[in-house]
Amino acid sequence: MNEKELQSYLAEASRDVEQALDRLLPMRQISPEAAIYFAMRYSLFGGGKRLRPALFFAALEACGAKRDAYLDVAAALEMIHTASLIHDDMPEMDDDDLRRGRPSCHKVYGPAMALLAGDGLFIHAFAVLSRPLPGAAPERQLAAVREIALRSGLGGMVAGQAAEWDNMTRPVDQGLLEYISRGKTSALLIAAVKAAGLLAGADGEKLQALDDYGLHAGLAFQIIDDVLDVEGDDATLGKPAGSDEERGLVTFASLLGCDEARRQAEAEAEAAVAALAVFGAEADTLRAFPPFFVSRRH
Ligand code: FPP
Ligand code: MG
C-alpha cells in the first residue's frame, strides 16, 4: 500500500469512526450538564488523524475480521485518546493553547469543564466497551476491554505521563525517555492492535507480533513528534511548535539531535514492520503505517 492509498484508507476510517462517535455521544443541548457535551464534542470532532481507530481496523483486517461489528471499539479508542489530549494540554500539565489547529478545550470551556470533559470521555469509552458486542464471544470482548484498560492506565498511558511529569527536573537519559514513550504513546497503539487481535481470536504468536508492532510503531511516532516540535511550525502542526523546549523538556530531539532522532525513528519503523513477519499480505495495511509515521509533517 503506497502513501496515497494509506491516505484514502485513513479518510475512510475517519468517516466510519466519526459516525460511530456521533451515535455513541449525541449532543444533549437541553440539560443542566449541556456544557460538558459541548466540551467533549468540541474536542472529539476537532479534526485529528484518527490513527488509533485506523490501526485497530487494519489489525482486524490482518486477523481476518471485518470492522463493521467493532465500530464502537474504534470509537472508544478515539474517546480515550482525545481525553488524554484534553488533560495533557491543561495548564497543570503541558499548558498548550492549541490542539488540532484550534484553541485547546480548556481555552474554550475553562479548566474545570476540560477536566470533566476528559473524565467524561475516558469513562464513557468503558461504558461503550462493556456493552455486549453482537457477534463477539464475551470472553474475547472481556480480554480486549482489559487490554485497553491496562494500556490506558497504570500499565501504559497514565504511568508514562506520570513518569514524564515526575522526572522533568532530573537528568533524563535515553532509557528513561523510551520508558516514558512506551507508556505515553506506544501503549495505546498496542491496545488498538491487540484488542483487534483478541476480538478476532488471533493466536499467541500473532498477539505477540501485534504487541511488538505497537511498541516500535509508537516509538517511531513519538520520536518524530519530538522532531516536529523542533522543526515544524504551529500552522502545519496544529499545535504550538517549540513547546517542549519552552518547558525545558528532554526529548529524543534534544537528547540525540534531529538527524540522529530521525535515524532512530526509521529503525523503529523498520522494527515495527519486521514484527509482522508472522502475517502474510493480509497485514499490508498495517505495514504501511510506520513509514508514514516517519515521513509525516504533522
Ligand atoms: C501527548 O504527548 C500526551 C499523551 C500521548 C498522553 C497523555 C496522557 C495523560 C494525560 C494521562 C491519561 C489521561 C486520560 C484521561 C486517559 P505530548 O505532550 O508529547 O504530545 P503533544 O505535543 O501532542 O502534546
Ligand atoms: Mg503535550
Side-chain angles (χ1 to χ4, degrees):
M1 178 179 270
N2 60 34
E3 184 154 347
K4 197 160 162 248
E5 288 164 331
L6 180 64
Q7 289 298 349
S8 71
Y9 187 87
L10 287 172
E12 198 193 306
S14 288
R15 269 198 305 278
D16 285 352
V17 79
E18 281 169 21
Q19 273 175 14
L21 286 167
D22 198 31
R23 169 171 53 75
L24 294 164
L25 201 69
M27 187 61 209
R28 288 193 60 184
Q29 210 155 340
I30 321 271
S31 70
E33 69 274 29
I36 195 179
Y37 283 85
F38 279 109
M40 289 187 298
R41 288 180 56 95
Y42 172 81
S43 291
L44 260 187
F45 296 104
K49 298 182 277 288
R50 314 301 190 195
L51 288 176
R52 289 141 195 89
L55 281 169
F56 172 74
F57 292 149
L60 282 174
E61 193 179 300
C63 298
K66 294 221 180 320
R67 70 172 71 166
D68 291 6
Y70 303 118
L71 294 173
D72 291 10
V73 179
L77 287 163
E78 190 64 17
M79 285 181 207
I80 294 168
H81 172 58
T82 304
S84 78
L85 296 181
I86 294 174
H87 284 182
D88 180 67
D89 287 339
M90 288 188 60
E92 292 75 10
M93 289 207 187
D94 287 3
D95 195 13
D96 277 330
D97 293 352
L98 206 62
R99 171 66 68 184
R100 294 170 168 172
R102 303 190 305 165
S104 311
C105 191
H106 67 273
K107 293 308 280 181
V108 181
Y109 295 98
M113 204 46 73
L115 186 60
L116 288 168
D119 292 345
L121 284 171
F122 194 35
I123 299 295
H124 193 58
F126 287 94
V128 166
L129 287 168
S130 56
R131 243 178 12 193
L133 281 168
E139 61 278 12
R140 285 187 187 176
Q141 184 178 346
L142 193 60
V145 176
R146 183 175 155 75
E147 178 71 24
I148 295 171
L150 286 171
R151 304 273 181 187
S152 353
L154 297 180
M157 214 169 37
V158 170
Q161 187 80 348
E164 176 178 281
W165 186 255
D166 205 37
N167 288 281
M168 211 139 25
T169 55
R170 292 178 205 155
V172 175
D173 60 17
Q174 193 171 350
L176 180 58
L177 211 49
E178 277 186 22
Y179 180 87
I180 292 168
S181 303
R182 280 167 190 242
K184 207 175 76 166
T185 310
S186 292
L188 200 55
L189 305 195
I190 297 174
V193 294
K194 262 183 97 179
L198 288 162
L199 287 165
D203 63 25
E205 198 183 13
K206 286 188 172 167
L207 289 174
Q208 185 57 53
L210 292 170
D211 200 313
D212 294 342
Y213 169 87
L215 170 67
H216 293 294
L219 287 174
F221 188 88
Q222 186 60 47
I223 295 171
I224 295 299
D225 214 61
D226 293 351
V227 170
L228 292 176
D229 191 78
V230 176
E231 293 181 344
D233 57 79
D234 293 16
T236 318
L237 294 179
K239 58 186 183 182
S243 83
D244 293 340
E245 198 190 342
E246 205 175 291
R247 290 164 55 224
L249 201 67
V250 178
T251 69
F252 288 104
S254 69
L255 202 65
L256 305 169
C258 287
D259 290 346
E260 177 56 21
R262 274 196 180 279
R263 270 193 288 280
Q264 296 207 9
E266 275 161 24
E268 292 296 346
E270 280 163 23
V273 174
L276 298 177
V278 53
F279 291 93
E282 66 279 7
D284 279 353
T285 308
L286 268 187
R287 291 185 180 97
F289 283 77
F292 163 68
F293 288 173
V294 177
S295 66
R296 72 199 169 99
R297 296 267 153 258
H298 61 91

